[in-house]
Every structure is written in structure tokens, then in C-alpha cells.
Amino acid sequence: MKKNFARKVKRIKSRKRNREIRASYWGWCKWGDCKNLWRTITNNDMSFADKGIKQSGRTKDGKKFFDVKETRLMDILNVSITVVDFETNVKTKQGEGRYCVLFEQNGQRSKFITNCYNLKDVLD
């Protein structure tokens, strides 16, 4: 299959047909373990970062989005952490009005979501 892809791409002269062939094989290369093959044959990386597209860090309604691992409050109970940032009035499947807190522990950033009035009062 890999050799077949390489032969077809090399043989096609039409720009439109070449794009169609690449589109059909792109899904195959994406889900298979063929990213290096795709990059070698097409001189094109499959990531958004190489194309200059970055995540904005905000949701559609303008709230901050922390793209880090979520941690349960029980895992950080009685452990010293440093609060880096937080967002108020976050809507989750458990309800509205919650706080999403970005924190750092041992140089690693994580987040937790809380509705605890004591923590909300301290953060405000």
C-alpha cells in the first residue's frame, strides 16, 4: 500500500488529480502509523502547529480554557500548590457557577473544577 501510494503520487501530472489522490491517502496515513511516509512523500507535516495554527486558549463565549490535565481535589488535599490562574462561572455537566482553577505542583501544571464556597471566597 505504501509503495502504491508513492508510485501514484509520482506518476500523476494533473494538480487536481494529485490533490484527489493525496486526499484519499491522507486519511489512511493519518490513522495508520504512516506520518513519516506522508511527510517524506508530500514534504508536508500533518500537524496544525507547522501551519501556524495555534489554539486560542479561549472558548466561544470568551472564557479562558486551560489545556492541561484535570486533577481531583482529593489528590491535592493537604499538599502545597501554587494557584496560577482561575476562571469564574464555568458551566459543566454538573451545573453552572463553578470555578476552574489552574495550579502548579512540583513544576507541573494541572487544573481542578470546584463549586466549594470556601475556595470561591478565597479566590475572589
Side-chain angles (χ1 to χ4, degrees):
M1 189 86 169
K2 294 177 182 180
K3 289 181 182 179
N4 191 18
F5 171 50
R7 288 182 190 131
K8 279 189 178 181
V9 168
K10 188 175 182 181
R11 191 176 60 213
I12 302 297
K13 301 294 182 203
S14 169
R15 190 178 305 165
K16 182 180 177 185
R17 181 67 181 145
N18 196 353
R19 192 173 72 208
E20 290 173 354
I21 295 284
R22 285 183 182 193
S24 65
Y25 279 98
W26 183 79
W28 178 75
C29 288
K30 178 183 169 189
W31 294 108
D33 192 20
C34 308
K35 292 180 181 173
N36 190 38
L37 171 73
W38 178 266
R39 191 178 7 226
T40 303
I41 292 176
T42 64
N43 295 324
N44 184 3
D45 194 7
M46 298 173 86
S47 66
F48 287 116
D50 288 348
K51 298 190 180 352
I53 301 171
K54 294 192 294 185
Q55 186 176 1
S56 69
R58 297 216 175 252
T59 60
K60 286 190 275 187
D61 56 353
K63 296 203 177 284
K64 297 175 196 167
F65 177 74
F66 306 124
D67 192 22
V68 292
K69 184 183 80 162
E70 188 169 344
T71 305
R72 298 180 323 155
L73 278 174
M74 289 306 207
D75 295 338
I76 58 173
L77 193 62
N78 296 328
V79 176
S80 63
I81 62 169
T82 305
V83 174
V84 178
D85 199 3
F86 66 96
E87 181 64 37
T88 61
N89 295 326
V90 175
K91 181 179 178 184
T92 65
K93 63 183 176 182
Q94 283 82 22
E96 296 181 9
R98 299 176 187 275
Y99 279 33
C100 183
V101 181
L102 177 67
F103 69 94
E104 190 169 302
Q105 177 187 13
N106 300 330
Q108 189 173 14
R109 288 187 172 197
S110 296
K111 69 179 175 183
F112 65 87
I113 299 173
T114 184
N115 198 25
C116 176
Y117 295 112
N118 295 337
L119 286 175
K120 286 180 175 182
D121 190 41
V122 169
L123 290 171
D124 286 333

